[in-house]
Amino acid sequence: MSLDQQIAELALRYRPLAVELLKEAIRIPADYVDRPTEEGGDPHCGLSNHEGPRLEYLRRRIVEIGAVDRDEDAFFDGFGNLVWTLTDPNDGVAEEDRTVVWTDGHTDTVMALRDQWRSVLGEGVDAYDGLKDLERVNKDALRGELGYLPPEAEWDHLVFGRGAADQLSGVICQIVGTKVLRELRSAGAMRGITLRGYGSVAEEDNDGGGPMWVLANELAGAPAGRMPDVVVLSEGTGDASGGSVGIYRGQRGRMQIAVEVIGRSCHGSMPWEGLNPLEYGGRIIAEAADRYDSREGFLDDPFLGHGTRTASWANLDSPSDCAVPQRFTFRFDRRLTIGETPEMAVADIERLPAVAAARAAGLTVHIGVPVYDSPTWRGTVPGNPQFYAGWLTPDEHPAIRAAVQSYRQVVTDQVDEAGAHGNLRAEPRVGRWIFSTDGVGFPVPSDDQSVVVPASKGWVDSGAFKHPAMFGVGPGIEQNTHKLGECVDDREMQHVIAFYARFPTTFRALKAAAAVS
């Protein structure tokens, strides 16, 4: 049996194992969210910086299912990321000559909204416990919430719960894919490869914070044998209309822009005695929205799309609801396409006439990029500005060509588009993410000499930044993430597992061929 056939067979065999791991990873917060804190409870369990119980479970299971050789090969780094490693110690390849493949996916989720699941979708499906009784599910409401669902006859393939699509299923695929690689080492599946898997933390709150920490604390001055040749991101790459399990090779950058408007508080019955930051700040928000609607100050890219800006958070400091407030603070979520910089994005807000009007009236207006300073579940304070660089791996890079080839090797023949296969496609679909991923944590400034990358690693140089070749393949539909009724199709997981087991040696071979030519 060929390596491709063996991989496809094991991916199918271990699909039930992947479902088991995923269901438990989704369920675990239920043990903590309703328990009093004095009894070990945590109302935020599973969210950013509260991933501990889930991560402890995943680390234990990585060892138990045989995805690594030794217990110490699965561990937590200083930031709190889950890390596991695998090599073929008998392949005769020196460490410095190995191809280093990293896989990465985040282990935190957004809020479960458990009560809303029950009130909108019925008692038959739960944000933690998943599908309990299909007959007690409001199916029309479920269809109305999600971007894509397979035909109802195929719903037995769906795993429901917060994090099913974003992105616990991807991390599970990384883990089970590693198990397949270990079992097929004798068939050459790991020859010349160093695999390093990451289950990162706090991505929902601080995109790429885990990788940022790794690059700053572990790659600075690291030898070539430690430096990644490629990073495979397991964030969901499905599109409701385009199909699931795409190959995504880029995304826009992201940043937060904080605006603080400080006025003068007074009794609401005599507003002339004060300076109202809510009213002036509201004009800033409205003016910024108008500028975005007319695309004033925004660039566009034919592949990654145009830059966006939207008001995303606000806080009001006021002594009462019958007073002029003292302070109004709000933020814009700004997505940056190619050619846009954080300096440009901040300057666009500074130039708004409503900002000038507020200052002229005597209010103080501060505009800047906030710093993320919430400690991780292991107590590490990131301290990074909330700017997350976009990235793009060229279509002709060996990593992308190997991804396309790997898909055809172990997925294409397993998908019959004429049959019942969700929205899987037999032919690989190369695209880009609309939302953000951990990939934003890997670019480093091109002039940063702390991370010295040998040319042989094939990192991408975009001018302002350098980053390892990156792309994503993951289960889950983008339009189903963060939604009530979030779910993933286990058939997607099967094929992603197969992909992760096939890609490393395919990439090593294509990279070597490109170096020769």
Side-chain angles (χ1 to χ4, degrees):
M1 194 185 303
S2 71
L3 180 60
D4 295 346
Q5 292 172 312
Q6 292 180 76
I7 288 172
E9 181 181 286
L10 287 179
L12 175 60
R13 181 187 305 172
Y14 292 136
R15 187 169 77 188
L17 171 63
V19 170
E20 172 196 335
L21 297 175
L22 175 60
K23 285 183 175 179
E24 181 62 8
I26 292 170
R27 190 206 63 79
I28 281 174
D31 292 338
Y32 297 87
V33 293
D34 295 326
R35 189 193 307 172
T37 54
E38 61 270 18
E39 297 177 14
D42 178 3
H44 302 293
C45 185
L47 308 185
S48 295
N49 304 311
H50 297 263
E51 306 93 340
R54 177 181 290 138
L55 288 173
E56 295 283 2
Y57 166 76
L58 291 176
R59 197 209 74 82
R60 174 171 61 82
R61 295 293 279 146
I62 286 171
V63 176
E64 289 177 349
I65 69 172
V68 293
D69 292 328
R70 305 166 301 170
D71 183 273
E72 57 264 38
D73 291 336
F75 56 92
F76 301 113
D77 66 17
F79 195 74
N81 301 308
L82 171 62
V83 189
W84 65 97
T85 62
L86 184 70
T87 62
D88 183 348
N90 300 314
D91 61 9
V93 179
E95 182 177 2
E96 62 272 17
D97 296 326
R98 291 178 177 274
T99 300
V100 182
V101 177
W102 285 15
T103 64
D104 174 280
H106 68 84
T107 61
D108 56 325
T109 71
V110 296
M111 291 185 67
L113 304 177
R114 196 177 198 182
D115 291 341
Q116 293 185 37
W117 279 58
R118 291 169 175 164
S119 63
V120 174
L121 303 178
E123 295 292 330
V125 63
D126 183 79
Y128 297 128
D129 296 328
L131 184 63
K132 299 184 291 183
D133 183 354
L134 186 57
E135 296 308 312
R136 300 179 67 194
V137 175
N138 185 331
K139 298 173 185 176
D140 289 336
L142 182 63
R143 293 186 184 98
E145 288 288 337
L146 299 180
Y148 173 81
L149 278 172
E152 189 173 330
E154 301 176 36
W155 285 11
D156 59 338
H157 285 288
L158 299 179
V159 178
F160 288 88
R162 178 61 75 222
D166 183 20
Q167 81 168 106
L168 299 177
S169 58
V171 177
I172 300 303
C173 289
Q174 294 173 239
I175 292 169
V176 179
T178 306
K179 173 179 171 63
V180 173
L181 281 166
R182 182 169 180 261
E183 293 187 13
L184 294 178
R185 281 190 298 198
S186 62
M190 282 290 294
R191 188 170 297 131
I193 302 296
T194 293
L195 179 70
R196 195 171 184 89
Y198 280 91
S200 68
V201 298
E203 188 270 353
E204 293 290 357
D205 276 6
N206 188 33
D207 305 30
M212 287 181 200
W213 185 91
V214 172
L215 265 68
N217 292 273
E218 296 187 2
L219 286 194
R226 180 73 176 79
M227 202 77 62
D229 293 79
V230 64
V231 177
V232 187
L233 304 163
S234 66
E235 190 89 46
T237 55
D239 179 75
S241 57
S244 60
V245 192
I247 298 168
Y248 285 1
R249 62 182 184 90
Q251 64 173 100
R252 296 172 300 170
R254 185 176 85 83
M255 67 182 298
Q256 291 285 302
I257 302 175
V259 181
E260 180 187 43
V261 185
I262 303 171
R264 184 171 64 243
S265 182
C266 70
H267 199 283
S269 65
M270 39 185 161
W272 56 84
E273 293 290 329
L275 293 171
N276 197 320
L278 179 57
E279 293 179 355
Y280 279 93
R283 291 170 191 157
I284 295 172
I285 293 173
E287 207 167 81
D290 290 342
R291 293 290 196 278
Y292 171 67
D293 287 343
S294 63
R295 300 296 187 269
E296 185 178 332
F298 295 85
L299 299 181
D300 197 359
D301 180 79
F303 183 72
L304 291 184
H306 71 274
T308 61
R309 181 178 61 217
T310 189
S312 56
W313 176 89
N315 184 65
L316 186 67
D317 293 336
S318 182
S320 75
D321 62 357
C322 62
V324 170
Q326 174 68 24
R327 183 192 317 265
F328 181 41
T329 307
F330 55 93
R331 291 186 181 185
F332 293 107
D333 179 280
R334 179 68 160 90
R335 305 291 161 139
L336 302 163
T337 196
I338 291 176
E340 296 181 328
T341 68
E343 293 78 15
M344 291 166 52
V346 170
D348 284 342
I349 301 299
E350 284 280 4
R351 284 195 293 266
L352 291 175
V355 171
R359 288 170 173 160
L363 293 90
T364 300
V365 181
H366 298 300
I367 302 169
V369 181
V371 170
Y372 189 82
D373 55 9
S374 296
T376 71
W377 74 283
R378 301 285 277 195
T380 299
V381 177
N384 59 276
Q386 290 188 261
F387 161 64
Y388 312 96
W391 56 273
L392 182 64
T393 301
D395 197 41
E396 68 276 7
H397 195 284
I400 307 303
R401 293 192 291 112
V404 170
Q405 182 173 320
S406 298
Y407 190 103
R408 289 180 175 144
Q409 287 170 311
V410 295
V411 178
T412 295
D413 288 346
Q414 307 299 315
V415 177
D416 177 7
E417 290 187 351
H421 289 280
N423 70 345
L424 287 162
R425 300 291 185 262
E427 272 299 293
R429 175 179 60 85
V430 179
R432 86 288 189 268
W433 275 289
I434 299 171
F435 57 34
S436 196
T437 79
D438 249 352
V440 298
F442 288 94
V444 295
S446 295
D447 59 358
D448 184 349
Q449 297 305 308
S450 65
V451 180
V452 180
V453 185
S456 62
K457 288 293 174 178
W459 279 33
V460 176
D461 186 352
S462 64
F465 292 92
K466 57 187 177 185
H467 61 79
M470 288 187 284
F471 69 90
V473 171
I477 306 294
E478 273 191 281
Q479 292 87 348
N480 288 356
T481 62
H482 297 193
K483 298 279 189 70
L484 303 183
E486 180 180 349
C487 59
V488 69
D489 192 314
D490 67 5
R491 293 167 294 188
E492 296 177 30
M493 296 180 69
Q494 171 191 332
H495 297 309
V496 172
I497 289 166
F499 179 93
Y500 281 127
R502 192 64 187 91
F503 173 78
T505 50
T506 299
F507 172 60
R508 178 174 171 83
L510 280 180
K511 191 169 184 287
V516 171
S517 62

